[in-house]
Amino acid sequence: MNKIKREIKLLSRFSLVGILNTSVGYLLMFALMFSGVGPYLSNLCAYGVGFIVAFLLNKNFVFRSKGNYLRESILFLLFMGLAYLFNLIVLYSLLRLDLNPYLSQLSGGAAYSLSMYLFSRKWVFLKVSS
């Protein structure tokens, strides 16, 4: 398969996992809140589950990596933190420029997603199959 088609295939699967993971995360977060769990604990639980779901789906479905679980999970967590930092930098910068806060959030989210894809593709999941 040529490189461009392969990259499009990986990006498509990565996007699908992102949409699914976000949906599951918010569903869990809101279900916990509805059942009486506070917003901070609900948020923490949803993000914890989201990390596990995102890691497993990216490893097994998106990149189909045959690499070491422990190594990849640690790198995935570290790069998620770095991608989140990029998100905050973009958000902060655009808000300082008085850009619409909703567009600023979307731009920060795009920076997070793009950087997480690149980190995952180039440094986390190295033993990738099509």
Side-chain angles (χ1 to χ4, degrees):
M1 181 181 304
N2 81 30
K3 286 185 177 188
I4 294 173
K5 284 184 181 179
R6 181 179 175 167
E7 233 27 72
I8 290 170
K9 190 175 181 180
L10 288 173
L11 271 168
S12 297
R13 290 193 308 235
F14 183 83
S15 298
L16 180 63
V17 164
I19 291 167
L20 175 68
N21 196 40
T22 299
S23 301
V24 168
Y26 277 107
L27 182 65
L28 176 60
M29 189 184 311
F30 294 151
L32 288 170
M33 289 173 60
F34 183 76
S35 67
V37 177
Y40 293 109
L41 184 54
S42 297
N43 184 284
L44 178 65
C45 290
Y47 273 88
V49 169
F51 166 77
I52 293 166
V53 170
F55 172 73
L56 291 174
L57 287 175
N58 276 289
K59 177 175 179 53
N60 297 307
F61 174 68
V62 175
F63 297 103
R64 298 178 181 164
S65 174
K66 304 298 181 202
N68 178 275
Y69 268 88
L70 181 60
R71 179 199 160 280
E72 290 177 343
S73 65
I74 291 169
L75 287 173
F76 193 78
L77 181 61
L78 291 173
F79 281 118
M80 275 183 82
L82 187 56
Y84 184 69
L85 181 61
F86 288 161
N87 166 49
L88 291 178
I89 291 169
V90 169
L91 177 62
Y92 176 80
S93 300
L94 294 177
L95 289 174
R96 295 272 309 189
L97 294 171
D98 289 325
L99 188 68
N100 178 289
Y102 294 97
L103 291 176
S104 298
Q105 287 283 17
L106 289 172
S107 299
Y112 172 88
S113 295
L114 179 60
S115 60
M116 197 60 211
Y117 175 78
L118 293 172
F119 293 149
S120 294
R121 179 77 172 99
K122 297 296 179 186
W123 290 294
V124 178
F125 302 111
L126 301 178
K127 297 181 180 180
V128 176
S129 61
S130 294

